[in-house]
Structure formats: C-alpha cells, structure tokens
C-alpha cells in the first residue's frame, strides 16, 4: 500500500499519530508516493479531520495542508460542516488553509481541457450572475470560478434556446405558458442543466415571470415559472452528482468539430481495409445517414419533417438511395459556436451555483410557494456575498409577517395558512444559516430583523416541540447575535421550566419525597408566572404530613420546612395570604373544638411542623407585624390556637411546643397587653408562678405596658433581698432606689459596641498596688492597713463604671463568657445592684444597660452563619437547669423595656442603648423575586408560558390537543391568564404534525368542494416539505402520512373524474403521492408502498383509472398534460421504490404492475403514423417511464394476453423506430443536445430489453429482430442494409451515459454468435472495423471508466469466438475476424495474427503497463462499490467494476495468446499488481478478476511464476515501492488461501488454483516451505464422507490435495510433504476413503513421495502406508493397481534397508 501510516493517523497515542503523519510527508517529499495516491484515500481524509478531535492537536498546519491536497476529490463525509466549526478556533494563518480547502470542496472536478474554464481573467460586468467574490490569489492575476465544464452548442441548439427565451418575453400568456411547459418537459430533459447557467437568459426570464400577475390560479404564470425552476434545480443536483461520480469522471474533451472517441493512430489507419482513399478524407466518427435541418423550438411538432421524402414513414428508410457505407454528409457537423459570439466572454458571464442560488433567493422570498425552489437550492450554495444580508433581512420580515397574521381576529383557514408558511420559512432560514454562516459570526452578519425573528422563533414552544434540532440552532444563533434577546429567552426558559415543575408537582404523585420537594421548590419560584395558588395548600399539607411522625426523615423535614418558610415570607401578598390561610386551616383542623371527642394523639400531630423556633420566629416576628390584615390576623389566630391548645395536645406535643417557643418569648413579649386576645393570652401565661416550671413564660414575664412595671419591681424585690448576704449590701433599697428601678436602664445615649484598640487604662496601677500591698502586709500597723482599705474602697467606687464597661467588652468579644455569665442568676443580681449604685452616684448606666442586654438576651444574640450570614438569630435551646436565670431574665426584661435584639421591631419600638451591628430588616427566609413584569408584558412570552403550562398540565401535547378539541367550554382549572385562545389552539394543532395530518384526513373525508381538498393537499405538501428541509424524517410523521394516504386518497384513485375540476384534483393527489413516495424511501416501512401497489393491481385488477389515463386522457389539453406528467412521475417513483424494496409482497406484486405498465406505455410509442411528428413531451415522459419499467427483472412475464417474447418484440420494434427517427435520421453524429433525452432513455430501454430477451427468449431467434430495416420490402435495395449500424454511432455519442449504455447493448448482443456477426458486419466500412473501434475506445486515456468497462466486456465476448490461427484455418472458418489489410504490401491477416497485429500497432501492452502504473499512482479511481448511474434511477449499468472488466479482458487475451506471458513479464505485470494489492483486497470482484488473470498468466510459465513469487519482481522498478501489506504477490495469495473459506469461495478457490500453478516453480515451492503455509493442511477439517460430500469442507480438502499433488512433482516438494509431521498418515487415511474417486489424488501424492530416496525410510516405517500400497494390488481398478505397484517398486529400487515382508512381496510379484 502506498500510504503505510494510513490507519496510524487515527491512533489514540499522539506520538504514533505524529510519527505516521511525518512518515506520509517524508514519502511525499522524497517521491516514494505521489499526491494522487493520497487523493484516493477516503479513510486518510476522515482520519485527518478527526485529528482535531483529540485532546492534543500538534502539527495543525501540516494536517490542514494534507487535507487541502485530499480535498481535490469531494468526499461526502461532512467535511464542510466540520471545518466550518473548526475555523474560528484556529489561528488566522490556518484559516487561510481552511479557506483553500473550502474552495476545493466547492469546485467541480474539472479536466484540463480548453473547453473548461477554471481560471479566467477578471472582467467587470454588471450581470448579476457573475461571481464577484471568488478566492483571490495575489500572485496570480486571475479569479477562480466554481463552474461546470463548458459545453459548446450547435447553431440548432442555440436557435432553440434563443427561440424559447424570446417566447418567455412574449405578451401572450398562452405562449408563455406553453413555453414553460416545453422547457419543463423537453428542453430541460434534453439539455444538460449547466447550460442554463452558462447561458442564463432563460433563467433570468423565468425569474422575471415571478412578478407577473395572472387572473387564473390554475394557469398562473408564476407557478409555471416556479415549476421550471424547480425542475432545473433537481437537474442541477443530478448533474452535480454526475460530475462527482468517479465512474463517469473523464478528461475527455467535449467534441467541438470532428474529434471523437475514435482517434486512430496513424499506424492503425495504415493497416485497416477501407474504401476511403486517404484517412484525412474520412470522419473518424462512425455515422449514420442523417437528415440536416433545424428545429425551430424543439417540440418536434413545428414542421421539422416538412421536407422529408415521401417514404419517410417507413421505419429506418433513409431519404434516397443508401450508399454502401454510412458516411457523414456535408453540413452535418456544424460549428458549435458562431463566429459572432465571443466564447471567452460567454464563459466569464456564466452563473455559478452560488450566483444562481443567490438570484433565486432574492427573487423568491416574497412568494409563499418559494420554498419548493429554495429546498433545492440549499445544497447548491457555495459562497457568500453582500446581498446575503438583504436575503436574511427579507426572511426575517417574512417570518414576522406570517407570525403577526396568526391572531384570534383571523379566520381559522388564514391562521393555518400563515402558520404553515411561518414554519416552513423558519426552518429554511435556520437551515440556510447553518449552511452559510458559522454561529460565531452571527453577531457581525445577521440583520436586526432576522435577530428579532429568531427571538420570536426561540419562544415558539409548539415549534420547539415539533422541530427540536432547528429550534436549538436558532437559539445558538440568537445567543451569538443578541445577548439581550438571549437573556430574555433564558429567563423565559427558566420560567417555563418552573411552570412545568408546578404541573408535575401537582399531577405526578408517585415520585419520591425528595423529588417532590424539589418540584415544590421550583413551583414556588414559578408563582409569579402561573399564580396557581393551590400549590401552596399542597405544600402546607406535605409539610404537615412529614412532621407528624417522630420517626420521619430529618432531611425531609428540614427540606419541607425550608419550603414552608419560603412561602410564609414570600414577597407576593396573595401567596403570603394563602400560606397563612392554609396554615390556619390546618391548625383549626387539628386543634379546633370539633376534635374534643377525639384522642389528642390522633389530631395534634398535624401541627408539629409549626413546633420549631424558626417557624414560630417567622410567624411571631413578621406575620404579626405584616401590614396586610389578612396576614397578621391569620398569624394571630395561629398563635392563639397554639397557645390555648394545651388541652388538645398530648403532653409530648405540648413539651415540644414549649421548647420551640422559649427562644421566641422575647418576640411575643412585645405583643403583651390587654387590648386584644393575643396580648391578654401573653399576659395570662406571664402570670404563672416560677415554681410551676412547665408554663410557656416564667413568672413575671415580659410585661411591656407601664402600668405593670411597678408590679414587676415588686417581684424583683424578692430576688434582691432573698439572700442574707445581700441585705447589708449597697445600695440600700429604699423608696428612692425602688422608684428608679423601672426606668433604670432607660437612656438616650447610644454606645458604640465595636471593640477598639485604645491602650488607655482606667486604673492607676502603681497607687492601687501600693495600697493593696499595705493592706495585705502583716507587719504594717492595723490602722494603716484600715486606712489603705478605706482608700481602696474609694478607688473601687470610682472604678465601678469603667469596670462595667470593660466587662461589657469582654462579654461582646467572648460569646462563651457571655453565655456562662448569663446562666448565673447571682451575677445578674449583683450587676443590677451595681447599676443602682452607679445610678445613685449620678453615674452613666449605659454600659451596664448594654451588658445586661447581652446577658439577658444571650439566646437570640448568637451569630448563626449557617443560615443567614452575620445576623443575630434566635438561640435554638434553653437548658431547663437554668430556669432560675430565665425567670430572673424575664423580670429584668421589664426594667429594660427590651423584648428582643437584632430585629426590625426592636429598632422601631424600643430605645436600645446601642446600635445593633446586624439585624433582619425583612425575614431571613424571604426570597428576592427576579424581574418578571417585563416578561409578562410581552405577548410572545405570555404565549410561550401559556403553551408550556397547558402542555405540562395535560401530560403532554397529545392530551392537550384532545382536551382542546372536546372541552373548550369547561371552566378552566387554573388562572384565566393561562387559558389558550382559539387561535393558539389552531397553532398548536398545525405545528403538531401528527395532529395536523389527522385534521387533514378529516378535512378530506368531510370536504364539500374541490377547493377544500386542494387546500388540504397543499397543507400536506407543506408538511412533507418542512420535514424534508429538516433533514430528519420522524417516525410518527411517516406513519401518519401512511394513514393519510390510505384514508384520504383511495377513493379519488378509484373513481373516474367526471368534470374538469375532478381532473385537476386528481392532478393534485397524484402530485402529493409522488412527493410522498420520493421522500419516504425507508425500506423498513413498506406499508405505503404495498398499499399503493395493491390498489393499482390487486383490488381492482388493471382497471384503476390512473393506469388507463397514463397515455391517453379525455381531459382538456392543459390538464391532460399535467395529469400525464404527474402520473408518469408517480409510476417512475413507484417503480424505483419497488426496485430497491425488500418487502416480499411488494416484490411479488411488482411484476404484474410492471407488465401492465409496459403494455400501457407501449401505446405511447404509437401516437402518430409519421414518426417525425412525435409529441416530444409525451414521448420523453413515456420513455423515462419505460426505462424504469424495464429495469425490473421479469417485467415482460406477467401479461395474461401476451407472451414475453411477443411483448419484447413489440418493445424492440417501437424503440428502434424511435432511434431511427430521433437519431439515425437526424444524423447520429450530430452534436445537438436536442432530442438527447429521447436518445438516452431509448438506449437505456434497449439495454434493459436486451437482458430481458436473453432471459425470456432463449429458445427463439431474437437476434435478427435488432437489425434496423427488417420490415421493409425485400425488393428495396436499402432493405436490411443498416442492420446494427444504428448502434455504432451511439458508442461515440457526446453523452458518456449514452456511450456506456450503448456499448452495454453491444455486449449483450455479442453474447450470441449471431450478434457478433451482426456487429462485425455493420462495421465493415468503418476505418479499422469493429476491433479497432473497440480497442480505440478501450485505450483512450481520457475516456471514463464505465465506457472502458463496457468496451472491455464487448471485446471479451468477441474473443470467445473461435478465431483462425493462420491462413489455412481461415479458409474453413466462418468467423473471419479480425481482418487487417496492409495497402502498401498487399498482405492481409485474419484471426489471431490480425489481432496480434492490431494489439501491437495500438501499443496495447504499453497501454496496459501505463494503465496499471496509473492505477497505482491514482489517476484511475477504483470504485469500491458499484457506481450508480445518473441517467435514470431505474437503470442498472454497473454490475462489475470497470477495472474488473479490463482484467477479465487481459485474461481472455492471455488465453488466446499464451506467448503474451513473456510480454506481461517484461512489462512487470506482477509488480504492478503487487502495488495494487491493497485496493484489490477491498473489492472482491476486482480481486477475482486479477486472480483469474494471474492463473492464466502463470499457467505452465516458469518465468511468470518466478515473477509472482517475488524473484526479481520489484528490483528494476523504483517507481513501484514495496507494500507493507505483503512482500510479494505470492505472500498475499497465501494469506487469502489460508483464511477460512467464506460462503462465496471464489477468491479462496482461485487462490488455491494460482498456488497450484505457482508450485511448478522451484522458487515458489521454496517460498511455500519458508512461510510454513503447508502447516495449514494438517488442520484442515476432514469431512465424514469424503467421497460423497459436496460441501465447503470437501471442496477445501480437494483444493489442498491438488496443491500438494502439484508440489509432489518436484523432489524438493516431496521432501516438504514428508517433513510435515503427520502428513503421511493423514494422506494414507484420505487415500483409503477416496479410493473410489477418479483421480485418486491422495494416493497419487503418496505415490509421488515414494520416488524420493530421502523419503523411503519414512514411508516404509509407516505400516499404514505400506499396507495401503499393498492393498492397492487387489483393487478392481487397474489404475489403482498400477499406482500401488509403481509406488512399491519405487520404494524397493536402490534401497538396501528393505524389510523381509517387502522382499517376500517382491518375490510374489516376480512369480
């Protein structure tokens, strides 16, 4: 293989990939491989693309340069899409290389001929079709045009185009209409599609017709022009595929005068027998007498045959006496371009595909039916331009227009129409953007109108459900083009997701709890949009349920509590009101008086979800304080029910409630009072004595009103004086001190509680130290110590206030110290006395007040960063052991007039002595809603959310549509703003394809007029179109369409139309069926195909109206032509589907259908008595259908009234008449394109007919029927003169498809001896005759491979004929061919000598060597699958690879000329085939042909065997590098033979045959031994009955034995066999079981090895072998006895170590 590193380029290791790439580049640089080698490597192309998908991407530039080389051949692997996405991510320098790759991919494969303009000087032009944005090369002053190869025209063709162009500009609408029909039915079928781009005047006029208004819709000129443009687009796509087909790829020049495929060399001409004096006087193109003249318009009915002779009606009769040879007539070969035209200017002004597509878009967008054309143009687009933005802007305007016309004010039919137009335009717009514009460049190129349209499309929920991939692409373009619009779309998507989660939460109760709580959380987020308040009740009930059981999951309880708190603090007032209302209802249900008779345990658990300090904190803090009366009232009621519900609760529940309520006591304290029920309740529970301990509030609770402060002071006196140690402490609690106690901590000063870093000290350390030392000293006098103590007391009184300040800072800085001191009631009493002392000394008690606040509200002064960062929240627990401290704290609260810290209420209702560093202005659980009012103000957003909600509410689109159909009058179950309008329901039905199609079925079944059915069919057409543009056929679409076809169109196909309106309707129905069958070509679902075939054949046998009106109709001329056009198109599509289907029923019914169609179509060939007055439109349609019909095998065998031979004979007669009229009489070598459609289809039919006649007319003489002129009168001199002469000019036709098919006809005819004789006879007067004609076609280097293949097949058939080997044999031989005459010497050669002379004069073997070399170097592409023909879909002209046919021809030549073996050896045939071996391994038919060639090549030729086995094979051929696959051809063959034989064992069998041939060479036998190939023989499976079996095991064993027998003819081979351990024993066993065979191969092998002296001891040591040979002597067969005796004599001869038994045996032999 040329590219050794091919597969390594896709290795997962980067080192191996880089090494493989460098290997390939090195071989390119050093000439070991050439660039054409790489062009053929599709796998390498794919691997290089995937190079960029690996994580590490080294050598990017080198990879892209190699891709640029490979891109000269267009591989259909998605390279354009891949490189489009890759380009933005690479460096700018690499983007230039990618642009060059695009340029290659968008170019047609062109040949370097003068008629192909690939590089043209730049010429300014205002013509819209001129490409003004091609790739510019700064170093070359030219522009590259991506165009089709230029086609020259004859004056006739030019006149036809000019006439039709002028007719399109006529003021007569009838003339314009008929011209459009002629263009569609004839001109565009005859002329290659690229001609209309190379001369774009007709297309320009068709585009102008789009703006013409017409009174009648049925004959609308814009629609006619649209049909022509659609036909042109289809033809262009077909021609594009044709030019990219390697089987028809050719460098052959387009004929411009008399140049043709038969360009004989001077040597060949000199040796041919010819009636022409000099070769220069003759046209080398075979021709048939033709009739000159011009066709005015090309329709065949405008006086074309006015000047013909009177006997022109006779088939095949030329006008006038027929000359002996069909020589060209003067004036027949007209110049292809007039002298007045500038060919170069024409070529520069031609349109390329991109220019054509751009013009189509600019003209077509305003039209609702333009999508029918634009669908065909998407795949043709190849470049960008400034006008694209205008196109995009227009598309955006169209989308916006159709979207605005779908409101409720419009009638339903109008809404449906605009909706379908919107869908189609939107899909096309996105597909066009995908084709033209990379996503990352959208922001720079998309107009604002298009961006707006994409935004609305992104919000279109029904569209996104029907076409998800298109919607995804639209969103991607929107994201890049407008960040603001994409942000809006993202917000809408989140809102829609929340609404869907809401419906799922309410509707799907079978989910697990975590999923349900997650959905509930999302549902709460969507409340601003859907406002579905029942969600709240469901959430509250879930929370209540999850908190009932003590064994419930804490995780679930916490998650549900988060949701409940989120609802309690929701910013939306209706949500908050509903939440408190639902909570109150739950509390009433659980703690209401109705439950008095019920056990408390069964009801009170439902309120456990409220028994948490967070919940009570939220209700008490924000619920009671809410400004909305509904909220605060419900909150008060909830708390009242809980505080008064002790009797309705169990003891555990009440305790649980107390524990949750303790931290919230400061909150409730602020509401204590006598004015309302809640305040009274708080006052009531505050009066509980401290020794009761189980109350909600401790004694002397937090009483805020002033009237009760004195009572609180009285309670404090007990604590201040309860201890004896406190009675004598300062200050004295007199009336003055007690009167100041209620307002002790009331101060207007606000302390900054933040810590500072001041270094000042409140103490005089030295003085205090001295005083303390005096007081503590035992040596100092007592008086001094007492004085020191008094001075210390004075200092302490002075330091009391600073000490409190220091303690406040310590408590603030150390929460653990604060919490410890807060639990010590004695410390609180001392702090209170100290505060009184400071107050009595006129000091500032602010610091003491702050310190008291910290200690009393330690529970809620704690920082909880896990919930809300840096906020003072409620402490979650109070230790029961600290009850005394709590009671004291409650009393002190009264004096402080403080209810709680860090809350908003504290700031507004109380005078704090400090500013809290953080507090809850709003609830810590309150969520901030994202902006939503702006979204709800947009109609598009509202509609999107409505669709999302309704679809989710009804479990999907299908249920929703059913609901909309049946329950429109019911009261909605949700908010009125979410109800869909009537127009929205219509939009949803239209966009859901399944429902829309069901509506179509109902509409057709209930239609009351033709217009209604037509409208429905148009709607169904648009469904098919949009599905096709999406490039993804949905399964439900296919199934639904099948139902529609079956239900809605059956009755229209079974009833004969009764009026013109019925006929027009039938046209529409047939057109729809044709479109449906073309699009739905999946073989997995053949229901539609089976239904239609059964309808046409089975249910109403051969009486269906479409069959009857296929060729003739009673309709009006206009409708009749349309009906025939649509019917032929339908049957062509149906036959094409039947050709490729695997459905058994369809295949069984295809035969009767094809036969019936064949009979009907035969009538179309006999529409007129004069063949020159054929109606070309109907004739071309008929021939296209005949080509499809005859492509089905056995098409002639199912007619009840006609036998197959008769039907084939009628077909042949009619087709020959067509060929005679349209080819022979018009001059077979005419270069005009007019009538080429007839010619091509007729030849295709003849090709199919030839195979059918060979199969069905085996016993009849059918060959004579193919001669032209057999029906003429016998006395006419022209009778039977033409014979097969009509076929020869077709071999050199301008169209390669015609050349290929006509040669294939010749191949079929030459399969019979009479066919060979007829072909030979018709070429007698052609220079060189039949053989030279075919050889020159075969050897023409620029011809396409398909033509080469057919020429090789035909030559192969000729070689089968017995040729005389010399002049003596020629006297008695009937077959006098080939025959060569040398005019100079007068020598004539016949048979093999003549063939040899022809081959040498044609340099045949030089061509063979060059061809093999060029195959290796990449100039001939090996098609590894049969290439499809592009002439007609139903034809089959490619059963064998072209190269297979060539190798088969070589095989035949070797068989004929055995001495050619030496010639092939000299030409290094083995070396060339070795270089081709990797390709041969990929294509079995080609391998079979090569193996057959090698078998013939090596037959009895030791030199050839040595070449194949590798001796001297490569040396001397530096241009043929060694292949990594194998070292020699023989190595490759051995690998093939060593494999397990497959079902098709042709390759395996030929491999053994070739090895058997090679084994005659000593070198080959040595290679067999060195490779250990013979070891495989020992593992060959032995069948049980060798002599009777016929399976693959028996065949394989037989092949091995034949190989071993051939090896055993050499002494070295005999030794090789014996050295195989166990081989002798195995051969003995096989010989015993195969004694009855003839010849006994295994016994012969044993016989041969006995003749080798080195083997005798081994054989004699094997008793089984000796016994076998002994037993042969008693065999009834003389052959077996002779073999056995010969073997024994060989063992005895000259061998001294013979056993006694053998000696006895010899004595017996002597006797």
């Amino acid at each position: 293989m040329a590219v050794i590193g091919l597969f390594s380029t896709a290795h997962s290791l980067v080192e191996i990939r880089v090494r493989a790439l460098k290997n390939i580049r090195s071989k390119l640089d050093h000439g070991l491989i050439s660039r054409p080698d790489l062009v053929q490597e599709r796998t390498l192309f794919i691997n290089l693309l995937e190079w960029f998908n690996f994580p590490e991407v080294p050598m990017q530039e080198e990879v892209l340069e190699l891709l640029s080389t490979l891109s000269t051949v267009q591989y259909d692997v998605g390279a354009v899409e891949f490189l489009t996405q890759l380009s933005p991510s690479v460096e700018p320098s690499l983007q230039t290389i990618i642009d060059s790759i695009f340029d290659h991919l968008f170019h047609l494969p062109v040949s370097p001929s003068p008629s192909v303009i690939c590089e043209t000087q730049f010429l300014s032009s205002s013509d819209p079709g001129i490409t003004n944005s091609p790739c510019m090369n700064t170093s070359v002053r030219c522009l590259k045009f991506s165009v089709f190869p230029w086609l020259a025209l004859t004056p006739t063709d030019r006149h036809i185009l000019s006439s039709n162009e002028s007719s399109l500009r006529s003021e007569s609408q009838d003339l314009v209409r008929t011209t459009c029909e002629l263009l569609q039915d004839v001109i565009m079928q005859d002329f290659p599609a690229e001609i209309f781009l190379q001369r774009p005047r007709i297309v320009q006029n068709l585009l102008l017709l789009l703006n013409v208004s017409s009174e009648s819709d049925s004959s609308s000129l814009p629609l006619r022009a649209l049909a022509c443009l659609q036909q042109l687009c289809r033809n262009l796509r077909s021609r594009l595929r044709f030019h990219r087909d390697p089987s028809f790829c050719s460098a052959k020049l387009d004929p411009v005068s008399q140049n043709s495929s038969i360009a004989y060399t001077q040597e060949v001409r000199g040796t041919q027998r010819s009636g022409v004096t000099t070769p220069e006087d003759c046209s080398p193109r075979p021709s048939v007498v033709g009739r000159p003249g011009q066709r005015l318009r090309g329709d065949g009915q405008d006086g074309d045959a006015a000047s013909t002779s009177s006997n022109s009606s006779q088939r095949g009769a030329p006008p006038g006496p027929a000359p002996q040879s069909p020589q060209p007539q003067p004036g027949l070969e007209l110049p292809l371009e007039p002298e007045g035209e500038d060919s170069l200017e024409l070529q520069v002004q031609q349109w390329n595909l991109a220019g054509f597509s751009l013009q189509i878009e600019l003209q077509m967008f305003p039209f609702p039916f333009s999508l029918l054309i634009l669908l065909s143009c998407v795949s043709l687009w190849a470049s960008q331009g400034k006008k694209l933005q205008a196109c995009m802007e227009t598309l955006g305007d169209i989308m916006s227009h159709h979207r605005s016309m779908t409101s409720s004010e419009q009638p339903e039919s109008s809404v449906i129409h605009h909706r379908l137009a919107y869908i189609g335009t939107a899909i096309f717009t996105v597909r066009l953007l995908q084709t033209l514009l990379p996503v990352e460049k959208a922001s720079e190129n998309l107009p604002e109108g298009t961006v707006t349209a994409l935004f609305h499309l992104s919000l279109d929920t029904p569209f996104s459900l029907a076409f998800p991939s298109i919607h995804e692409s639209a969103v991607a373009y929107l994201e890049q083009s407008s960040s603001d619009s994409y942000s809006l779309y993202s917000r809408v998507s989140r809102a829609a997701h929340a609404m869907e989660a809401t419906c799922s939460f309410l509707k799907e109760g079978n989910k697990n709890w975590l999923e349900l709580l997650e959905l509930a959380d999302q549902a709460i987020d969507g409340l601003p949009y859907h406002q579905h308040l029942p969600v709240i009740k469901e959430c509250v009930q879930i929370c209540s349920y999850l908190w009932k059981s003590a064994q419930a999951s804490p995780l679930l309880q916490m998650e549900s509590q988060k949701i409940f708190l989120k609802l309690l603090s929701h910013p939306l007032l209706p949500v908050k009101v509903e939440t408190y209302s639902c909570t109150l209802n739950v509390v009433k249900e659980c703690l209401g008086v109705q439950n008095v008779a019920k056990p408390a345990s069964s009801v009170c658990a439902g309120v456990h979800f409220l028994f948490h300090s967070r919940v009570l904190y939220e209700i008490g803090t924000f619920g009671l304080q809410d400004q909305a009366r509904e909220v605060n009232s419900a909150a008060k009621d909830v708390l009242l029910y809980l505080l008064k519900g002790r009797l309705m609760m169990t003891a555990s529940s009440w305790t649980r409630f107390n524990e949750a309520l303790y931290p919230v006591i400061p909150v409730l304290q602020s509401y204590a009072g006598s004015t309302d029920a809640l305040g009274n309740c708080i006052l009531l529970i505050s009066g509980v004595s401290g020794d009761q301990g189980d109350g909600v509030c401790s004694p002397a609770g937090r009483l805020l009103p002033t009237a009760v402060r004195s009572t609180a002071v009285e309670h404090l006196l007990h604590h201040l004086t309860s201890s004896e140690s406190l009675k004598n402490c300062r200050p004295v609690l007199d009336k003055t001190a007690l009167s100041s106690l209620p307002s002790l901590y009331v101060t207007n000063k606000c302390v900054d509680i933040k810590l500072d870093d001041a270094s000042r000290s409140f103490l005089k350390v030295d003085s205090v130290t001295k005083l303390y030392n005096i007081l503590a000293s035992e040596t100092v006098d007592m008086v001094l110590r007492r004085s020191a103590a008094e001075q210390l007391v004075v200092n302490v009184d002075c330091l009391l206030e600073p000490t409190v300040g220091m303690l406040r800072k310590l408590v603030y800085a150390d929460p653990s110290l604060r919490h410890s001191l807060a639990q010590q009631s004695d410390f609180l009493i001392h702090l209170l006395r100290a505060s009184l002392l400071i107050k009595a000394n006129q000091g500032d008690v602010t610091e003491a007040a702050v310190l008291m606040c910290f200690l009393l509200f330690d529970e809620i002064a704690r920082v909880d960063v896990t919930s809300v960062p840096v906020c003072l929240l409620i402490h979650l627990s109070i230790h029961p052991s600290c009850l005394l401290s709590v009671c004291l704290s409650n009393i002190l609260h009264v004096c402080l007039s403080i209810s709680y810290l860090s809350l908003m209420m504290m700031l507004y209702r109380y005078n704090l002595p400090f500013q809290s560093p953080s507090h809850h202005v709003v609830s810590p659980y309150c969520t901030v809603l994202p902006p939503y009012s702006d979204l709800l103000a947009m109609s598009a957003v509202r509609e999107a959310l409505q669709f999302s909600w309704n679809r989710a509410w009804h479990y999907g689109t299908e249920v929703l549509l059913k609901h909309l159909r049946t329950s429109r009058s019911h009261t909605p179950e949700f908010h009125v703003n979410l109800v869909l309008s009537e127009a929205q329901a219509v939009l949803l039905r239209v966009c859901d394809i399944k429902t829309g199609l069901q509506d179509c079925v109902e509409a057709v079944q209930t239609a009351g007029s033709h217009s209604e059915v037509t409208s429905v069919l148009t709607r169904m057409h648009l469904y098919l179109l949009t599905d096709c543009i999406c490039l993804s056929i949905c399964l439900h679409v296919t199934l639904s369409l099948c139902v529609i076809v079956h239900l809605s169109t059956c009755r229209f196909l079974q009833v004969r139309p009764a009026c013109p309106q019925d006929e027009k309707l039938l046209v529409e129905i047939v057109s729809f069926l044709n479109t449906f069958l073309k699009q739905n070509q999946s073989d997995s679902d053949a229901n539609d195909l089976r239904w239609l075939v059964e309808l046409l054949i089975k249910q109403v046998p051969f009486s269906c109206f479409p069959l009857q009106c296929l060729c003739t109709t009673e309709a009006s001329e206009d409708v009749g032509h349309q009906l025939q056009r649509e019917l032929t198109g339908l049957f062509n599509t149906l036959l094409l589907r039947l050709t490729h289907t695997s459905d058994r029923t369809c295949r069984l019914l295809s035969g009767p259908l094809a036969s019936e169609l064949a009979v009907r179509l035969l009538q179309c060939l006999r529409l007129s008595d004069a063949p020159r007055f054929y109606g070309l439109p109907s004739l071309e349609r008929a021939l296209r259908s005949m080509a499809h019909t005859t492509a089905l095998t056995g098409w002639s065998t199912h007619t009840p009234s006609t036998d197959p031979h008769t039907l084939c004979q009628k077909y042949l007669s009619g087709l020959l008449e067509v060929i005679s009229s349209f080819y022979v009489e018009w001059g077979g070598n005419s270069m005009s394109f007019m009538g080429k459609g007839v010619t091509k289809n007729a030849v295709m039919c003849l090709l199919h007919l030839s195979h059918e006649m060979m199969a069905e007319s085996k016993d009849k003489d059918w060959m004579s029927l193919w001669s032209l002129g057999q029906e003429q009168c016998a006395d006419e001199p022209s009778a039977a003169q033409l014979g097969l002469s009509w076929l020869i000019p077709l071999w050199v036709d301008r169209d390669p498809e015609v050349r290929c098919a006509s040669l294939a006809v010749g191949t079929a005819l030459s399969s019979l001896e009479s066919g060979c004789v007829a072909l030979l006879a018709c070429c007698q007067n052609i220079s060189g005759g039949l053989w030279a004609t075919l050889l020159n076609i075969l050897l023409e280097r620029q011809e396409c491979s398909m033509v080469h293949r057919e020429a090789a097949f035909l030559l192969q058939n000729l070689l089968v004929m017995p040729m005389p080997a010399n002049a003596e044999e020629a006297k008695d031989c009937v077959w006098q061919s080939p025959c060569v005459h040398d005019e100079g010497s007068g020598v004539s050669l016949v048979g093999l000598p003549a063939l040899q002379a022809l081959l040498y004069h044609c340099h045949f073997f030089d061509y063979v060597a060059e061809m093999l070399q060029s195959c290796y170097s990449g100039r001939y592409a090996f098609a590894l699958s049969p290439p499809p023909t592009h002439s007609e879909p139903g034809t089959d002209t490619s059963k064998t690879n072209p190269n297979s046919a060539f190798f088969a021809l070589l095989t035949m030549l070797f068989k004929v000329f055995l001495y050619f073996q030496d010639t092939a050896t000299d030409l290094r045939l083995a070396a060339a085939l070795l270089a081709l071996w990797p390709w041969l391994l990929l294509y079995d038919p080609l391998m079979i042909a090569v193996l057959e060639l090698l078998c013939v090549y090596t037959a009895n030729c030791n030199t050839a065997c040595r070449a194949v086995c590798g001796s001297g094979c490569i040396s001397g051929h530096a241009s043929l590098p060694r292949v990594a696959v194998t070292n020699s051809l023989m190595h490759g063959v051995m690998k093939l033979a060593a494999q397990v034989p497959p079902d098709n064992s042709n390759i395996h069998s030929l491999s053994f045959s070739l090895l058997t041939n090679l084994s005659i060479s000593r070198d080959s036998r040595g290679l067999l031994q060195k490779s250990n190939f013979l070891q495989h023989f020992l593992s060959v499976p032995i069948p049980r009955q060798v002599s009777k079996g016929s399976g693959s095991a028996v065949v394989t064993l037989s092949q091995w034995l034949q190989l071993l027998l051939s090896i055993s003819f050499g002494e070295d081979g005999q030794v090789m066999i014996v050295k195989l351990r166990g081989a002798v024993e195995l051969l003995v066993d096989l010989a015993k079981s195969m004694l009855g065979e003839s010849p006994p191969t295994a016994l012969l092998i044993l016989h041969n090895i006995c003749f080798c002296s080195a083997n005798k001891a081994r054989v004699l040591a094997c008793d089984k072998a000796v016994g076998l040979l002994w037993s042969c002597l008693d065999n009834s067969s003389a052959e077996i006895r002779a073999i056995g005796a010969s073997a024994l004599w060989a063992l005895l001869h000259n061998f001294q170590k013979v056993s006694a038994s053998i000696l006895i045996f010899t004595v017996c032999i002597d006797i």
Side-chain angles (χ1 to χ4, degrees), residues 527 530-538 574-576 578 582:
L527 279 169
H530 58 73
Q531 304 178 33
H532 192 64
L533 298 183
V535 173
I536 301 173
K537 181 179 179 181
E538 190 70 21
V575 175
K576 193 183 300 184
E578 183 67 17
C582 293

Side-chain angles (χ1 to χ4, degrees), residues 47 69 82 416 784 919 1163 1297 1331 1435 1446 1483 1595 1666:
N47 291 347
T69 299
F82 180 86
I416 293 175
L784 292 176
H919 59 275
Q1163 303 172 8
E1297 292 178 289
W1331 289 87
T1435 60
F1446 186 82
Y1483 187 59
V1595 174
V1666 175

